Amino acid sequence: MASASTALPQLRVRGRNFMALILVPEAPVSAWLSALDAQMERAAGYFAQKPVVVNFSALADDATDPTALLYALDMRGLAIISVEGLDRSRLSGTRFETLPDLRQKADNEEPLGRELALPEEVPRAEPVPAVTSLLIDRPVRSGQSIIFEHGDVTILGALSSGAEVIAGGSVHVYGPLRGRVIAGVKSGAKARIFCRKLGAELAAIDGVYSTADDWNKTYDNCAVQIWLSGGALKISALG
């Protein structure tokens, strides 16, 4: 006897059009970033909550590290939803490798989009005081990223495995440190990393990094400080 067929629910698929801003970084990248900073200062809300596509076609022959540039854009609060115009293998092993390429045509057929007129300077009522430290009063869970390039970051809870914190200055973790911590993005070698229990996947200061394989077992789950000296990371117990 044939089994009775089960009626399946009808799927409803809806479409929505939205505008994404396409950024095309150019060499020299440092000057391009400075121009971007100046534009974001003149019109602070222009890029807010707008999806951004980063197109690397103008840097095809440039030696710029695409991951470093994406981190720089990410730290400026840009909502990056797509990356295009580069060999995807250059993002392998980073959290940007899963970003899609949203183009539906070949590179030589797809236009970058129409050029937009950027807003001119707008008056501001009162200057906003600069924030030089960030306090996180909760655990940072796996998959979460804390990015604060303006100064120190203090985390009162744990930094879980698979989570990361990127700070312009020093990083203080008052719980177990299990994830990735990157300090000194702005302050350089004078930044330090402090934690209550060491178990980090990766620690870096001013671009110099070590992984869990480099830790002396003596310091596992200990309160430590990490600093940079002579181009190498140093570690010592606290207390």
Side-chain angles (χ1 to χ4, degrees):
M1 179 183 296
S3 60
S5 60
T6 302
L8 297 177
Q10 181 182 4
L11 292 180
R12 297 183 179 181
V13 181
R14 301 171 185 259
R16 175 180 293 171
N17 294 325
F18 64 93
M19 183 183 73
L21 301 178
I22 302 176
L23 289 181
V24 187
E26 300 177 0
V29 170
S30 58
W32 184 84
L33 285 172
S34 296
L36 176 63
D37 288 339
Q39 178 59 42
M40 295 182 73
E41 176 69 19
R42 287 196 300 271
Y46 183 71
F47 293 94
Q49 299 182 343
K50 290 187 175 69
V52 172
V53 177
V54 183
N55 184 290
F56 283 87
S57 59
L59 295 176
D61 299 324
D62 191 80
T64 299
D65 179 0
T67 301
L69 179 52
L70 288 172
Y71 268 120
L73 296 176
D74 197 18
M75 287 188 293
R76 285 162 170 79
L78 298 180
I80 303 173
I81 64 167
S82 175
V83 175
E84 59 191 32
L86 83 165
D87 184 347
R88 305 292 296 196
S89 65
R90 298 182 66 186
L91 301 178
S92 179
T94 74
R95 63 189 181 88
F96 300 109
E97 66 178 332
T98 58
L99 290 175
D101 186 332
L102 299 180
R103 292 171 300 178
Q104 299 179 350
K105 299 180 181 180
D107 288 346
N108 59 355
E109 299 177 357
E110 178 72 6
L112 290 178
R114 63 184 180 87
E115 188 167 343
L116 299 178
L118 297 178
E120 297 297 327
E121 183 176 359
V122 294
R124 294 186 178 182
E126 293 290 340
V128 179
V131 178
T132 58
S133 64
L134 176 66
L135 174 66
I136 307 296
D137 60 358
R138 64 187 185 280
V140 182
R141 306 192 183 281
S142 180
Q144 293 182 320
S145 294
I146 302 296
I147 301 173
F148 183 74
E149 64 174 327
H150 305 295
D152 296 354
V153 174
T154 300
I155 301 173
L156 299 185
L159 183 71
S160 302
S161 177
E164 67 179 1
V165 57
I166 302 172
S170 297
V171 176
H172 307 255
V173 182
Y174 286 93
L177 170 53
R178 306 298 184 204
R180 300 180 298 274
V181 56
I182 300 169
V185 172
K186 283 289 184 67
S187 63
K190 66 181 182 180
R192 296 201 175 200
I193 298 170
F194 303 89
C195 71
R196 182 71 60 85
K197 288 185 177 181
L198 178 65
E201 298 168 351
L202 177 146
I205 298 176
D206 195 26
V208 180
Y209 70 91
S210 292
T211 64
D213 294 335
D214 301 322
W215 311 129
N216 187 319
K217 296 299 182 182
T218 304
Y219 299 114
D220 282 351
N221 294 315
C222 291
V224 302
Q225 66 168 322
I226 303 172
W227 71 98
L228 188 61
S229 177
L233 290 184
K234 307 293 184 180
I235 183 171
S236 66
L238 291 174

